[in-house]
């Protein structure tokens, strides 16, 4: 893990979350990471917030890749590193793999 708590994200094992039709891919990723790690999107009194997503991937590009076309999201899978996690986004789910 990183020594900097702002950039490490402690998640044990693998967690899978649905990517709902009313979410952008960016919203889904941030919600999934926040839920899996127990860390807020914005700082609060008791927890360090998640690091900016744009340090790992361009959120506009992520959303463009998974944008609805003809009523469906494209059948694509994209993986990237965020904090100490591997994030995999597909057309209907997000998987967060943390260090064990």
């Amino acid at each position: 893990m990183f020594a900097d708590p702002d950039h490490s994200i402690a998640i044990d094992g693998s967690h899978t979350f649905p990517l709902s039709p009313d979410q952008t891919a960016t919203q889904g990723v941030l919600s999934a990471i926040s839920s899996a790690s127990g860390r807020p999107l914005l700082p609060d009194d008791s927890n360090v917030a998640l690091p900016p997503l744009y340090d790992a991937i361009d959120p506009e590009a992520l959303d463009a890749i998974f944008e609805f076309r003809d009523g469906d999201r494209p059948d694509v899978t994209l993986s990237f590193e965020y904090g100490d996690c591997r994030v995999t986004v597909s057309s209907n789910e997000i998987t967060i793999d943390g260090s064990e």
Side-chain angles (χ1 to χ4, degrees):
M1 289 177 69
F2 292 99
D4 181 354
D6 290 340
H7 290 95
S8 71
I9 301 171
I11 296 176
D12 292 328
S14 180
H15 302 269
T16 300
F17 301 87
L19 179 57
S20 70
D22 62 337
Q23 289 180 309
T24 65
T26 297
Q27 291 168 334
V29 166
L30 290 173
S31 176
I33 289 278
S34 180
S35 180
S37 69
R39 288 178 63 182
L41 299 176
L42 300 172
D44 64 21
D45 294 335
S46 60
N47 289 308
V48 175
L50 293 171
L53 183 61
Y54 61 76
D55 284 349
I57 193 167
D58 179 339
E60 290 180 9
L62 178 62
D63 289 342
I65 291 168
F66 291 96
E67 185 176 353
F68 278 93
R69 294 177 186 96
D70 300 322
D72 290 316
R73 285 196 169 105
D75 188 19
V76 176
T77 301
L78 174 74
S79 294
F80 60 93
E81 297 293 322
Y82 179 56
D84 287 342
C85 303
R86 173 166 285 290
V87 178
T88 302
V89 183
S90 68
S91 60
N92 61 356
E93 68 183 17
I94 298 164
T95 301
I96 312 295
D97 292 309
S99 55
E100 296 188 52

